[in-house]
Amino acid sequence: MVKERLETDYEAWRRDRWDEIAGPSGKAGVVQLATITGSAQTVEGVPGGWDASDPDGLKFTAAGADGVSLDGRPVNGTVTLTGGSRLRLSGERTVAISGSEGVYGLTVWDPAASSLARLRGIAVFPVDPTYVVDAEYRRTPGREVEIERLTDPPTRHILPAPADLVFELAGQQFSLMVIETFPGNLLVVFTDSTTGAETPDIGRWVVLPPVAGDAVRVDFNEALLPLHVFSRAFPCPLAPEGNHLPVPVPAGERAPVHGESIGVREAMSTDLKDTATRYLRRLEAGDYAGMRALCTDTATVWHNDGKGQQTIDENLAMLKDGPAAEASLHYDIIRQFTEADEMLQQHVLCITNADGSVGEVQAAMYFRFRDGLIDRIEEYANFIPAAN
């Protein structure tokens, strides 16, 4: 019952998240960010001039030929803008204004941005109550930390680090530093054993609610991809030193799903091939938890060995405890074919035993997917013993 309620809440969260990223003025369409603090400032690619020195608001000056409008009226001269104002540029681009009192931010949004046009979805892990943890919120008043940001070139900034989260996961105790990227925004930037393989190498985020006491519930099912993944305009922070979990956290967002506007089918095909390949690479590494995270709860496995069908958990237990666990495995993938939610693959599995002998399995493997996860595996294999 807990999982069903969690899944319902999570689906609502995912809809809101998709609207934030790909909806009207979504983050994936942001092509430029700028800060205005001067009295005679220009912004590359944006017509007109800016003046943040007036106490009444941000002054913007443009000629009628610049093609800029405010509230549907062309700007031909100087207008006063405040936080929440929005200018319309040529080509349907918009500039959103934020800030006040001499410090203003500009966010340029373009509906034709390739980062938005190619975005088809956000791949996620299955919802798992295991990754909802109650953490101790250990306050560290006055602490600051130097954080690297993804600017070009990279820059480093000093940010408040008001607390540490201390919690248990996978039978171990961990601690993650909390940073405050702007007043009231409590962010946990972390990496884990999925980083660089199933999730971006720049880590992921958990945004914390306001914390009044000394405890907070942390839901890794709502772990976010950094905005930099969707648009290079965002100068996202990297994880503070030490904010690494040496265990996989197969929860939350995994990766953006991209495809050309005329190639959605091809993008889906590529994603299925990638999932199947990552499943086998995790088997090579002996990462059974990572394999499990790529499968549905009801996934089944069948081999042409006469032993019948297994659940995915039975199959992984067999692999973990079987002789192959002591050997070195490598899958040489020859070809892959996809059709809708199905994939057929031909490969050769090379097995190097502990004594140095080498054997191989020539096989065809069928994958069926549900919601981007593996739901059925069938393998037709011919084992060729190790040479003496």
Side-chain angles (χ1 to χ4, degrees):
M1 196 68 182
V2 173
K3 184 173 183 180
E4 285 79 359
R5 185 166 61 251
L6 183 62
E7 288 177 341
T8 300
D9 294 343
Y10 187 54
E11 286 305 314
W13 174 80
R14 284 194 64 194
R15 288 192 294 271
D16 291 342
R17 173 65 170 169
W18 179 248
D19 188 61
E20 175 194 1
I21 298 300
S25 302
K27 300 293 196 302
V30 173
V31 294
Q32 189 175 1
L33 299 173
T35 302
I36 306 298
T37 57
S39 59
Q41 197 167 335
T42 59
V43 176
E44 183 178 358
V46 179
W50 308 85
D51 180 0
S53 63
D54 194 306
D56 292 333
L58 177 64
K59 300 294 185 181
F60 171 68
T61 303
D66 291 326
V68 182
S69 62
L70 174 65
D71 298 329
R73 297 187 295 273
V75 175
N76 187 18
T78 300
V79 294
T80 302
L81 309 172
T82 57
S85 298
R86 187 177 295 269
L87 297 172
R88 175 64 62 88
L89 308 181
S90 59
E92 300 302 310
R93 291 183 302 155
T94 61
V95 180
I97 314 300
S98 60
S100 63
E101 299 179 356
V103 180
Y104 296 90
L106 307 185
T107 301
V108 183
W109 185 82
D110 186 351
S114 60
S115 53
L116 177 60
R118 295 180 59 244
L119 186 63
R120 295 290 169 261
I122 304 173
V124 297
F125 291 100
V127 177
D128 188 342
T130 302
Y131 295 98
V132 182
V133 300
D134 291 315
E136 181 184 355
Y137 190 78
R138 294 183 180 175
R139 299 179 185 275
T140 54
R143 184 177 65 178
E144 295 182 325
V145 63
E146 187 177 53
I147 297 292
E148 182 175 338
R149 285 190 177 272
L150 292 167
T151 54
D152 187 17
T155 53
R156 303 187 72 87
H157 296 88
I158 303 297
L159 293 176
D164 291 323
L165 296 180
V166 180
F167 56 93
E168 287 192 0
L169 189 65
Q172 302 178 59
Q173 187 177 82
F174 299 108
S175 176
L176 293 175
M177 180 185 293
V178 180
I179 61 175
E180 192 171 21
T181 53
F182 56 84
N185 188 57
L186 301 176
L187 192 65
V188 182
V189 185
F190 72 98
T191 57
D192 65 280
S193 294
T194 72
T195 302
E198 297 176 67
T199 57
D201 56 8
I202 58 175
R204 291 183 292 163
W205 299 351
V206 172
V207 180
L208 297 181
V211 183
D214 58 2
V216 62
R217 177 156 289 184
V218 181
D219 187 355
F220 286 100
N221 292 290
E222 295 186 359
L224 302 174
L225 297 173
L227 295 178
H228 191 82
V229 169
F230 301 103
S231 168
R232 296 299 180 95
F234 289 99
C236 294
L238 294 178
E241 185 176 352
N243 264 30
H244 176 71
L245 299 174
V247 295
V249 182
E253 296 181 341
R254 289 197 296 120
V257 178
H258 289 126
E260 300 300 332
S261 57
I262 60 173
V264 177
R265 183 186 183 95
E266 290 80 358
M268 293 174 62
S269 170
T270 300
D271 196 47
L272 298 186
K273 292 177 181 178
D274 176 65
T275 299
T277 301
R278 284 188 288 113
Y279 179 86
L280 298 178
R281 298 301 179 222
R282 291 212 168 265
L283 175 54
E284 292 174 349
D287 181 4
Y288 303 105
M291 295 169 68
R292 184 65 183 86
L294 296 174
C295 301
T296 66
D297 290 343
T298 56
T300 54
V301 181
W302 176 90
H303 294 91
N304 64 326
D305 55 7
K307 296 181 181 179
Q309 178 175 286
Q310 296 175 305
T311 67
I312 185 63
D313 295 302
E314 290 170 339
N315 181 252
L316 292 178
M318 182 194 71
L319 291 171
K320 184 177 181 181
D321 298 330
E326 303 300 323
S328 175
L329 309 180
H330 177 70
Y331 284 87
D332 183 9
I333 298 172
I334 298 172
R335 55 179 62 89
Q336 295 173 314
F337 303 95
T338 60
E339 178 65 31
D341 288 330
E342 300 176 297
M343 194 195 81
L344 186 65
Q345 172 177 296
Q346 180 186 358
H347 64 248
V348 176
L349 169 59
C350 299
I351 305 173
T352 303
N353 297 307
D355 62 4
S357 59
V358 179
E360 65 180 39
V361 178
Q362 298 178 352
M365 184 174 282
Y366 164 82
F367 293 87
R368 185 179 70 231
F369 296 82
R370 177 161 57 86
D371 298 330
L373 296 173
I374 299 168
D375 193 51
R376 173 71 170 177
I377 297 173
E378 297 178 6
E379 186 172 30
Y380 304 81
N382 177 39
F383 177 66
I384 301 175
N388 294 323

